[in-house]
Amino acid sequence: RSSIIEKNQALCQAARAAGRPVIFARVGDRKDNLDRAWAQAIRRELPIADDENYLLEGSWGAEVVEGVDVDDNDFQVTKKGNSAFGFTPLHRILRNLNVTTCIVSGGAVHGCIEATVREGVGLGYSFVVVPDAAYPPDSLIPEVLGTQAEFMNTEEAIARLRPVQ
């Protein structure tokens, strides 16, 4: 796990150094789960007791993981389901920044990364997915996403980050 954190920290630092935006997509739900974008049947099975609040707004599970620093100029979007685009201002932020290609890392492959890439491709974005900086790092990301994204390791993705001209 610490290797994934270190790789994501390195990606964030390289993006900032190149003048590229860094955007964190994190989960933050209401205690009653009424704002979650998951199906009703799944929502009913999720624990909402006080001791089971790890994805609730303000809880430890809704924060950016310790070891990955958030800069004052970074963006954070709070998602309610798997996709970082679903019910968030991410699409508007990317358009305002004139971003056309996104480097995606850090999240759960079968869920968050997969859903974000699939929805983002439909919105016209290109994606670079960094499997060694995602969870689990040995997942089958290329097989899951097929030709919807380009795949690079952390070092290759960092090398691709050129300064904004």
Side-chain angles (χ1 to χ4, degrees), residues 50-96:
D50 288 342
D51 60 343
E52 297 287 347
N53 64 358
Y54 90 103
L55 291 180
L56 303 182
E57 191 67 51
S59 72
W60 65 269
E63 300 302 320
V64 174
V65 69
E66 188 175 325
V68 177
D69 299 326
V70 180
D71 187 81
D72 289 341
N73 293 318
D74 294 342
F75 296 86
Q76 291 189 56
V77 296
T78 302
K79 58 192 191 104
K80 303 300 180 174
N82 285 336
S83 174
F85 287 100
F87 309 107
T88 75
L90 180 58
H91 180 51
R92 175 56 35 218
I93 292 168
L94 293 173
R95 287 294 186 237
N96 288 344

Coordinates of all heavy atoms in Angstrom, one line a residue, residues 50-96:
D50 N -23.2 4.6 13.5 CA -22.1 5.5 13.9 C -20.8 4.9 13.8 O -19.8 5.6 13.5 CB -22.4 6.1 15.3 CG -23.5 7.0 15.4 OD1 -23.9 7.5 14.3 OD2 -24.0 7.2 16.5
D51 N -20.6 3.6 14.0 CA -19.3 3.0 14.0 C -18.9 2.5 12.6 O -17.9 1.9 12.4 CB -19.2 1.9 15.0 CG -20.2 0.8 14.8 OD1 -21.2 1.0 14.1 OD2 -20.0 -0.3 15.4
E52 N -19.8 2.7 11.6 CA -19.5 2.2 10.3 C -19.6 3.4 9.3 O -20.3 3.4 8.3 CB -20.5 1.2 9.9 CG -20.5 -0.1 10.7 CD -19.2 -0.9 10.4 OE1 -18.6 -0.7 9.3 OE2 -18.9 -1.8 11.2
N53 N -18.8 4.5 9.6 CA -19.0 5.7 8.8 C -17.8 6.1 7.9 O -17.6 7.2 7.6 CB -19.3 6.8 9.8 CG -18.1 7.1 10.7 OD1 -17.1 6.4 10.7 ND2 -18.2 8.1 11.5
Y54 N -17.1 5.1 7.4 CA -15.9 5.4 6.8 C -16.0 6.1 5.5 O -15.0 6.7 5.0 CB -15.0 4.2 6.7 CG -15.1 3.4 5.4 CD1 -14.2 3.5 4.4 CD2 -16.2 2.5 5.2 CE1 -14.3 2.7 3.3 CE2 -16.3 1.8 4.1 CZ -15.3 1.9 3.1 OH -15.4 1.2 2.0
L55 N -17.1 6.2 4.8 CA -17.3 6.9 3.6 C -18.2 8.2 3.8 O -18.5 8.8 2.8 CB -17.9 6.1 2.5 CG -16.9 5.0 1.9 CD1 -17.6 4.2 0.8 CD2 -15.6 5.6 1.4
L56 N -18.4 8.5 5.0 CA -19.3 9.6 5.3 C -18.5 10.9 5.3 O -17.4 11.0 5.7 CB -20.0 9.5 6.6 CG -20.9 8.2 6.8 CD1 -21.5 8.2 8.1 CD2 -21.9 8.1 5.6
E57 N -19.1 12.0 4.8 CA -18.5 13.3 4.8 C -18.0 13.6 6.1 O -18.7 13.5 7.2 CB -19.5 14.4 4.3 CG -19.0 15.7 4.0 CD -18.1 15.7 2.8 OE1 -18.5 15.2 1.7 OE2 -16.9 16.2 2.9
G58 N -16.7 14.0 6.2 CA -16.1 14.4 7.5 C -15.4 13.2 8.2 O -14.7 13.5 9.2
S59 N -15.6 12.0 7.7 CA -14.9 10.9 8.3 C -13.5 10.6 7.7 O -13.2 11.1 6.7 CB -15.8 9.6 8.2 OG -15.7 9.1 6.8
W60 N -12.8 9.8 8.4 CA -11.4 9.5 7.9 C -11.5 8.8 6.5 O -10.6 9.1 5.7 CB -10.7 8.5 8.8 CG -11.3 7.2 9.0 CD1 -12.3 6.8 9.9 CD2 -11.1 6.0 8.2 NE1 -12.7 5.5 9.7 CE2 -12.0 5.0 8.6 CE3 -10.3 5.8 7.1 CZ2 -12.0 3.7 8.1 CZ3 -10.3 4.5 6.5 CH2 -11.2 3.5 7.0
G61 N -12.5 8.1 6.2 CA -12.6 7.4 4.9 C -12.9 8.3 3.7 O -12.8 7.9 2.6
A62 N -13.4 9.5 4.0 CA -13.8 10.5 3.0 C -12.6 11.4 2.7 O -12.8 12.3 1.9 CB -15.0 11.2 3.4
E63 N -11.5 11.3 3.4 CA -10.4 12.2 3.2 C -9.4 11.6 2.2 O -9.4 10.4 1.9 CB -9.7 12.4 4.5 CG -10.6 13.0 5.6 CD -11.1 14.3 5.2 OE1 -10.4 15.1 4.6 OE2 -12.3 14.6 5.5
V64 N -8.6 12.5 1.6 CA -7.5 12.0 0.8 C -6.5 11.2 1.7 O -6.2 11.6 2.8 CB -6.7 13.2 0.1 CG1 -5.5 12.8 -0.6 CG2 -7.7 14.0 -0.8
V65 N -6.0 10.1 1.2 CA -5.2 9.2 2.0 C -4.0 9.9 2.5 O -3.3 10.7 1.8 CB -4.8 7.9 1.1 CG1 -3.9 8.3 0.0 CG2 -4.3 6.9 2.0
E66 N -3.6 9.6 3.7 CA -2.4 10.1 4.4 C -1.2 9.7 3.6 O -1.0 8.6 3.2 CB -2.3 9.6 5.8 CG -1.2 10.3 6.6 CD -1.2 9.8 8.1 OE1 -2.3 9.6 8.6 OE2 -0.1 9.7 8.6
G67 N -0.3 10.7 3.3 CA 0.9 10.5 2.6 C 0.8 11.1 1.2 O 1.8 11.2 0.5
V68 N -0.4 11.5 0.7 CA -0.5 12.2 -0.5 C -1.0 13.6 -0.1 O -2.1 13.8 0.4 CB -1.6 11.5 -1.4 CG1 -1.8 12.3 -2.7 CG2 -1.2 10.1 -1.8
D69 N -0.1 14.5 -0.4 CA -0.4 15.9 0.0 C -1.3 16.6 -1.0 O -1.2 16.5 -2.2 CB 0.9 16.7 0.1 CG 1.9 16.1 1.1 OD1 1.4 15.6 2.1 OD2 3.1 16.2 0.9
V70 N -2.2 17.4 -0.4 CA -3.1 18.2 -1.2 C -2.6 19.7 -1.2 O -2.5 20.2 -0.1 CB -4.6 18.1 -0.7 CG1 -5.5 19.0 -1.6 CG2 -5.1 16.7 -0.7
D71 N -2.3 20.2 -2.3 CA -1.9 21.6 -2.4 C -3.0 22.6 -2.4 O -4.1 22.2 -2.9 CB -1.0 21.8 -3.7 CG -0.3 23.1 -3.8 OD1 0.7 23.3 -3.2 OD2 -0.9 24.0 -4.5
D72 N -2.8 23.8 -2.0 CA -3.9 24.8 -2.0 C -4.5 25.0 -3.4 O -5.6 25.4 -3.6 CB -3.4 26.1 -1.5 CG -3.2 26.1 0.0 OD1 -3.8 25.2 0.7 OD2 -2.5 26.9 0.6
N73 N -3.7 24.8 -4.5 CA -4.1 25.0 -5.8 C -4.8 23.8 -6.5 O -5.2 23.8 -7.6 CB -3.0 25.5 -6.7 CG -2.5 26.8 -6.3 OD1 -3.3 27.7 -6.0 ND2 -1.2 27.0 -6.3
D74 N -4.8 22.6 -5.7 CA -5.4 21.4 -6.3 C -6.9 21.6 -6.2 O -7.4 22.4 -5.4 CB -4.9 20.2 -5.4 CG -3.5 19.9 -5.6 OD1 -2.8 20.4 -6.5 OD2 -2.9 19.2 -4.7
F75 N -7.6 20.7 -6.9 CA -9.0 20.7 -6.9 C -9.5 19.4 -6.2 O -8.8 18.4 -6.3 CB -9.6 20.6 -8.3 CG -9.3 21.9 -9.1 CD1 -8.1 22.0 -9.8 CD2 -10.2 22.9 -9.2 CE1 -7.8 23.1 -10.6 CE2 -9.9 24.1 -9.9 CZ -8.7 24.2 -10.6
Q76 N -10.6 19.4 -5.5 CA -11.2 18.2 -4.9 C -12.7 18.2 -5.4 O -13.4 19.2 -5.3 CB -11.1 18.3 -3.4 CG -9.7 18.1 -2.9 CD -9.7 17.9 -1.4 OE1 -10.3 17.0 -0.9 NE2 -9.0 18.8 -0.7
V77 N -13.1 17.1 -5.9 CA -14.5 16.9 -6.1 C -15.0 15.7 -5.2 O -14.3 14.8 -5.0 CB -14.8 16.5 -7.6 CG1 -14.4 17.7 -8.5 CG2 -14.1 15.3 -8.1
T78 N -16.2 15.9 -4.7 CA -16.8 14.9 -3.9 C -17.8 14.1 -4.7 O -18.8 14.6 -5.2 CB -17.5 15.5 -2.7 OG1 -16.5 16.3 -2.0 CG2 -18.1 14.4 -1.8
K79 N -17.5 12.8 -4.9 CA -18.3 11.9 -5.7 C -19.3 11.1 -4.8 O -19.0 10.9 -3.6 CB -17.5 11.0 -6.6 CG -16.5 10.2 -5.9 CD -15.6 9.5 -6.9 CE -14.8 8.5 -6.3 NZ -15.2 7.1 -6.6
K80 N -20.4 10.7 -5.4 CA -21.4 10.0 -4.7 C -21.6 8.6 -5.2 O -22.4 7.8 -4.7 CB -22.8 10.7 -4.8 CG -22.7 12.1 -4.3 CD -22.3 12.2 -2.9 CE -22.3 13.7 -2.4 NZ -22.1 13.7 -0.9
G81 N -20.8 8.2 -6.2 CA -20.8 6.9 -6.7 C -19.4 6.5 -7.2 O -18.4 7.1 -6.8
N82 N -19.2 5.6 -8.1 CA -17.9 5.2 -8.6 C -17.2 6.2 -9.5 O -16.1 6.5 -9.4 CB -18.0 3.9 -9.3 CG -18.2 2.7 -8.3 OD1 -17.8 2.8 -7.2 ND2 -18.7 1.6 -8.8
S83 N -18.0 6.8 -10.5 CA -17.4 7.7 -11.4 C -17.1 9.1 -10.8 O -17.9 9.6 -10.1 CB -18.3 7.9 -12.6 OG -17.7 8.9 -13.5
A84 N -15.9 9.6 -11.1 CA -15.6 11.0 -10.7 C -16.3 12.0 -11.4 O -16.4 13.2 -11.0 CB -14.1 11.2 -10.8
F85 N -17.0 11.6 -12.5 CA -17.8 12.5 -13.3 C -19.2 12.6 -12.8 O -19.9 13.6 -13.0 CB -17.8 12.2 -14.8 CG -16.5 12.5 -15.5 CD1 -15.5 11.4 -15.7 CD2 -16.2 13.7 -15.9 CE1 -14.3 11.7 -16.3 CE2 -15.0 14.0 -16.6 CZ -14.0 13.0 -16.8
G86 N -19.7 11.5 -12.3 CA -21.1 11.4 -11.9 C -21.5 12.4 -10.8 O -21.0 12.2 -9.7
F87 N -22.4 13.3 -11.0 CA -22.9 14.2 -10.0 C -21.8 15.1 -9.4 O -21.9 15.4 -8.2 CB -23.7 13.5 -8.9 CG -24.7 12.6 -9.5 CD1 -24.5 11.2 -9.5 CD2 -25.9 13.1 -10.1 CE1 -25.5 10.3 -10.0 CE2 -26.8 12.2 -10.6 CZ -26.6 10.8 -10.6
T88 N -20.7 15.4 -10.1 CA -19.7 16.3 -9.6 C -19.4 17.4 -10.7 O -19.8 17.2 -11.8 CB -18.3 15.5 -9.4 OG1 -17.7 15.2 -10.7 CG2 -18.5 14.2 -8.6
P89 N -18.7 18.4 -10.3 CA -18.3 19.4 -11.3 C -17.1 19.1 -12.1 O -16.5 20.0 -12.8 CB -18.1 20.7 -10.4 CG -17.6 20.1 -9.2 CD -18.3 18.8 -9.0
L90 N -16.6 17.9 -12.1 CA -15.3 17.5 -12.8 C -15.3 17.9 -14.2 O -14.3 18.5 -14.7 CB -15.0 16.0 -12.6 CG -13.7 15.5 -13.2 CD1 -12.5 16.3 -12.7 CD2 -13.6 14.1 -13.0
H91 N -16.4 17.6 -15.0 CA -16.4 17.9 -16.4 C -16.2 19.4 -16.6 O -15.5 19.8 -17.5 CB -17.7 17.3 -17.0 CG -17.9 17.6 -18.5 ND1 -16.9 17.3 -19.4 CD2 -18.9 18.1 -19.2 CE1 -17.4 17.6 -20.6 NE2 -18.6 18.1 -20.5
R92 N -16.9 20.2 -15.9 CA -16.9 21.6 -16.0 C -15.5 22.1 -15.6 O -14.9 23.0 -16.3 CB -17.9 22.3 -15.1 CG -17.9 23.8 -15.0 CD -18.0 24.6 -16.4 NE -18.8 24.0 -17.3 CZ -18.6 24.0 -18.7 NH1 -17.5 24.5 -19.1 NH2 -19.4 23.4 -19.5
I93 N -14.9 21.6 -14.6 CA -13.5 22.0 -14.2 C -12.5 21.7 -15.3 O -11.7 22.5 -15.7 CB -13.1 21.3 -12.9 CG1 -13.9 21.9 -11.7 CG2 -11.6 21.5 -12.6 CD1 -13.8 21.0 -10.4
L94 N -12.6 20.5 -15.8 CA -11.7 20.1 -16.9 C -11.8 21.0 -18.2 O -10.9 21.4 -18.8 CB -11.8 18.6 -17.3 CG -11.4 17.6 -16.2 CD1 -11.8 16.2 -16.6 CD2 -10.0 17.7 -15.9
R95 N -13.1 21.3 -18.5 CA -13.3 22.1 -19.7 C -12.8 23.5 -19.4 O -12.2 24.1 -20.3 CB -14.8 22.2 -20.0 CG -15.4 20.9 -20.6 CD -14.8 20.7 -22.0 NE -15.4 19.6 -22.7 CZ -14.7 18.6 -23.1 NH1 -13.4 18.5 -23.0 NH2 -15.3 17.6 -23.7
N96 N -13.0 24.1 -18.2 CA -12.5 25.4 -17.9 C -11.0 25.5 -17.9 O -10.4 26.5 -18.2 CB -13.0 25.9 -16.5 CG -14.5 26.2 -16.5 OD1 -15.1 26.4 -17.6 ND2 -15.1 26.2 -15.3

